[in-house]
Amino acid sequence: GVTSIQVGDTHSCAQTQAGDVKCWGNNIYGNVGDGSNTTGSTPVNVVGLGPGVLSVSPGGNHTCAVLDTGAAKCWGLNFDGQLGSGTNTTSSVPVDVVRQ
C-alpha cells in the first residue's frame, strides 16, 4: 500500500494509499514524528496526521507534510525556524505551519 517514498539527509518517509505517513531512521530531533526520539530501522506512524496527506518532504533533520485541507504541518529540528511554527522549538510530533 505504499504510493511513494521520500528520503531526507538522515531519515526516510513513505506515503500509503490511505494517505498516512510512516517514517524511519535517525530520530534524535523527532525527525520521524512518532512523539519520541528513538532512532529505528522500522517504519513508524507519524502521530496526528491521519489520512489525507497529499505530500511529504523530509529535510535534513525535519519533515513537512501538505494535507488535503490545504494545511501544512512539520516536525523535527527547529533551531532556525524550519518548522514554520513561529518558534524555534523542536517538536517530535507534527505542528501547524503558521499562515500569514
Side-chain angles (χ1 to χ4, degrees):
V2 173
T3 58
S4 66
I5 294 177
Q6 295 80 25
V7 179
D9 288 349
T10 62
H11 65 292
S12 301
C13 296
Q15 287 178 260
T16 69
Q17 288 176 338
D20 295 318
V21 176
K22 297 178 182 280
C23 297
W24 62 95
N26 184 345
N27 196 30
I28 191 167
Y29 298 110
N31 316 24
V32 302
D34 69 343
S36 79
N37 294 93
T38 304
T39 295
S41 58
T42 303
V44 295
N45 290 323
V46 176
V47 173
L49 286 184
V53 175
L54 297 177
S55 65
V56 62
S57 181
N61 285 299
H62 68 290
T63 306
C64 293
V66 176
L67 309 181
D68 60 4
T69 61
K73 295 189 176 242
C74 298
W75 59 94
L77 181 67
N78 195 33
F79 290 162
D80 296 316
Q82 298 94 312
L83 304 187
S85 61
T87 73
N88 288 349
T89 303
T90 295
S91 180
S92 61
V93 296
V95 295
D96 292 326
V97 173
V98 176
R99 295 184 186 201
Q100 300 233 348

